Amino acid sequence: DVKVTQSSRYLVKRTGEKVFLECVQDMDHENMFWYRQDPGLGLRLIYFSYDVKMKEKGDIPEGYSVSREKKERFSLILESASTNQTSMYLCASSLRWDRGYYTFGSGTRLTVV
Amino acid sequence: GENVEQHPSTLSVQEGDSAVIKCTYSDSASNYFPWYKQELGKRPQLIIDIRSNVGEKKDQRIAVTLNKTAKHFSLHITETQPEDSAVYFCAASLPGNQFYFGTGTSLTVIP
């Protein structure tokens, strides 16, 4: 009963490539989030969205952009991938700001070579 | 924003012993504190949460305590089992805001 789906489990990209990470949720959640997870640094928020076509920067937005054209889909874009963007990327969604916990996707392990 | 600190970063316990993970937060307005468990290669999953109007919450072998005055909250796992081995994340949330996560605790339960 997977509810937050990330399109790729593993990705290997070259430096300078444009990379798209896709996330889809089927729970009609308003809020969606992109985190990166690195050892010793925990989960750091890149971008989030509280409505279609709305986006807000998180703590580490540099080098990333996002797109939310439909409520169920939230895409993370690396405009020009760099080796320091090698990481685990986790997508999450929540019903509303004042309701509910996060449901996470399984993550995308991105390696930039 | 909020700042959440989590300790320890690694924890090893013998099977059957208890494990305690502690988190502190900086903003007294934070009112929701979830705990997530992430097993190796899997997604983080909510295991327990507590709101600021409650001091303690239990669910079988896990419990969370909250001290609003001191601005800290803790996860307690009793009678630990090997399947409790995972990374645990705490988080704090201000009203109407996103979650701020701790840096995680890697728990190993030694059979």
Side-chain angles (χ1 to χ4, degrees):
Chain A
D1 59 342
V2 174
K3 293 180 169 55
V4 179
T5 303
Q6 294 184 230
S7 54
S8 302
R9 192 63 194 268
Y10 299 96
L11 274 179
V12 180
K13 296 292 182 180
R14 295 194 179 279
T15 301
E17 276 193 80
K18 190 169 187 177
V19 181
F20 293 86
L21 303 183
E22 304 288 344
C23 177
V24 176
Q25 52 94 3
D26 63 0
M27 298 171 286
D28 201 32
H29 282 178
E30 293 182 358
N31 307 315
M32 297 188 75
F33 309 85
W34 275 106
Y35 286 87
R36 64 177 282 177
Q37 182 176 18
D38 301 287
L41 298 177
L43 297 165
R44 293 182 292 167
L45 182 63
I46 305 171
Y47 267 96
F48 63 100
S49 169
Y50 52 87
D51 201 354
V52 176
K53 296 191 185 295
M54 304 301 288
K55 59 185 179 183
E56 294 285 344
K57 292 180 180 179
D59 299 320
I60 51 165
E62 296 78 19
Y64 303 94
S65 62
V66 291
S67 173
R68 193 165 181 203
E69 296 297 318
K70 295 184 178 181
K71 189 175 185 179
E72 66 270 19
R73 185 180 297 269
F74 192 36
S75 303
L76 179 70
I77 304 156
L78 286 66
E79 297 290 343
S80 177
S82 63
T83 55
N84 63 11
Q85 292 178 310
T86 292
S87 186
M88 169 67 84
Y89 290 88
L90 286 166
C91 174
S93 71
S94 70
L95 181 59
R96 279 168 35 186
W97 287 120
D98 57 349
R99 286 286 185 274
Y101 51 87
Y102 287 11
T103 300
F104 283 92
S106 296
T108 297
R109 171 72 66 184
L110 173 67
T111 302
V112 182
V113 298
Chain B
E2 174 62 276
N3 181 46
V4 178
E5 295 189 357
Q6 183 173 348
H7 300 281
S9 57
T10 59
L11 179 61
S12 292
V13 299
Q14 290 292 137
E15 182 176 358
D17 288 350
S18 295
V20 180
I21 302 170
K22 298 182 179 180
C23 289
T24 61
Y25 60 99
S26 60
D27 197 323
S28 57
S30 289
N31 66 347
Y32 177 62
F33 308 92
W35 285 88
Y36 284 82
K37 175 184 180 182
Q38 186 178 25
E39 297 177 60
L40 189 63
K42 296 188 177 180
R43 70 188 74 200
Q45 293 197 306
L46 180 76
I47 55 171
I48 197 166
D49 56 10
I50 192 168
R51 295 195 180 273
S52 59
N53 58 347
V54 176
E56 183 176 4
K57 185 176 178 180
K58 284 184 179 180
D59 183 3
Q60 298 182 328
R61 294 187 298 108
I62 61 172
V64 57
T65 58
L66 172 64
N67 183 325
K68 287 190 294 183
T69 303
K71 289 188 282 189
H72 68 69
F73 56 111
S74 300
L75 178 71
H76 304 254
I77 306 173
T78 58
E79 301 173 18
T80 53
Q81 300 168 4
E83 52 265 38
D84 294 328
S85 294
V87 177
Y88 292 80
F89 291 97
C90 65
S93 172
L94 293 159
N97 211 325
Q98 74 271 19
F99 293 178
Y100 295 85
F101 286 91
T103 49
T105 296
S106 177
L107 172 65
T108 302
V109 179
I110 304 165

